Amino acid sequence: MVIKSVELETVAGITSTLPVNELPEVAFAGKSNVGKSSMLNALINRKSLARTSSTPGKTQTINYYNVNKELYLVDLPGYGYAKVSQSTKEKWGKMIERYFKKSPTLKAVFLLIDIRHEPGQNDIDMYNWICETGFTPVIIATKLDKITRSQVQKQTALIRRTLGAKDSVIIPFSSLNKQGVEEIWAEIEKILQSDIE
């Protein structure tokens, strides 16, 4: 995918009405500190369009990035952040649920998991939840540069086993050296193409 233009078009908060888009949407979910903003910046080849922060839980809205006026990359609020109140977590959960159920042009959901660790209960719940809404999540195993090459297979197998993700594609990814960017775009293009057919 050659990125010609990217625009943060819509920011939807807890009380916002979600936009009705005609272009296809691809959503990204993940734990608060999994590196979602860095991954999105690597994907759209911009340094800081998606705001990265040393404080997890920065994304508290659903952010719609219009790419090439062809599709939306949709950044969902991070989950599992301890310093957020229970009521806020529940509101985020309802917002994400509303998005999954009410976005007619949502074509795929990517779930980000830190490759260094076994997925936690939050990750397992999110994986199952995405499956229940009718999608098979594509898993992006982030922070690849933090482990050795010999560990990659073992860690991706651990993620697959813990999530019960036998049908999911797993893409090891590093925002540092951009490894995995092409594979993610190939997956997105494949999904959009199959939708046209």
Side-chain angles (χ1 to χ4, degrees):
M1 171 76 77
V2 178
I3 310 293
K4 302 187 192 93
S5 67
V6 183
E7 183 188 348
L8 175 54
E9 194 171 285
T10 310
V11 175
I14 286 167
T15 57
S16 307
T17 304
L18 296 175
V20 178
N21 293 317
E22 291 183 3
L23 295 175
E25 297 173 9
V26 175
F28 295 87
K31 211 178 265 180
S32 298
N33 57 352
V34 76
K36 191 152 47 66
S37 299
S38 301
M39 186 276 310
L40 280 164
N41 286 326
L43 214 53
I44 54 185
N45 206 14
R46 299 288 188 278
K47 281 250 177 342
S48 58
L49 192 62
R51 290 194 298 275
T52 57
S53 167
S54 55
T55 313
K58 197 75 178 159
T59 306
Q60 300 185 11
T61 50
I62 298 178
N63 298 333
Y64 294 76
Y65 295 93
N66 185 328
V67 179
N68 294 351
K69 307 213 174 342
E70 285 176 36
L71 78 150
Y72 289 97
L73 300 184
V74 182
D75 183 11
L76 299 172
Y79 57 83
Y81 181 45
K83 285 190 185 168
V84 172
S85 72
Q86 190 55 40
S87 66
T88 303
K89 280 182 196 168
E90 283 167 14
K91 282 178 188 160
W92 285 357
K94 285 195 172 70
M95 179 164 70
I96 295 170
E97 185 174 16
R98 199 174 74 208
Y99 171 72
F100 281 156
K101 288 183 174 163
K102 298 208 170 154
S103 293
T105 60
L106 179 60
K107 303 300 176 194
V109 183
F110 286 73
L111 178 60
L112 281 69
I113 304 281
D114 189 328
I115 198 166
R116 298 171 299 176
H117 310 297
E118 183 175 354
Q121 192 56 51
N122 283 326
D123 298 314
I124 296 166
D125 291 346
M126 181 54 92
Y127 180 84
N128 291 334
W129 193 27
I130 294 167
C131 292
E132 280 163 24
T133 56
F135 295 95
T136 300
V138 177
I139 294 161
I140 300 174
T142 62
K143 311 202 179 187
L144 178 63
D145 47 275
K146 302 271 201 287
I147 63 171
T148 62
R149 193 172 289 178
S150 61
Q151 291 175 292
V152 175
Q153 205 169 351
K154 178 173 142 269
Q155 291 306 108
T156 50
L158 176 66
I159 289 170
R160 189 179 294 285
R161 192 168 63 246
T162 307
L163 295 177
K166 59 180 190 298
D167 297 326
S168 283
V169 172
I170 299 181
I171 302 170
F173 175 83
S174 163
S175 56
L176 200 68
N177 58 30
K178 309 282 194 288
Q179 192 174 334
V181 166
E182 283 180 23
E183 289 85 343
I184 294 168
W185 274 119
E187 206 55 42
I188 291 171
E189 285 168 8
K190 193 166 82 184
I191 290 157
L192 298 181
Q193 196 55 43
S194 68
D195 195 58
I196 293 164
E197 292 160 8

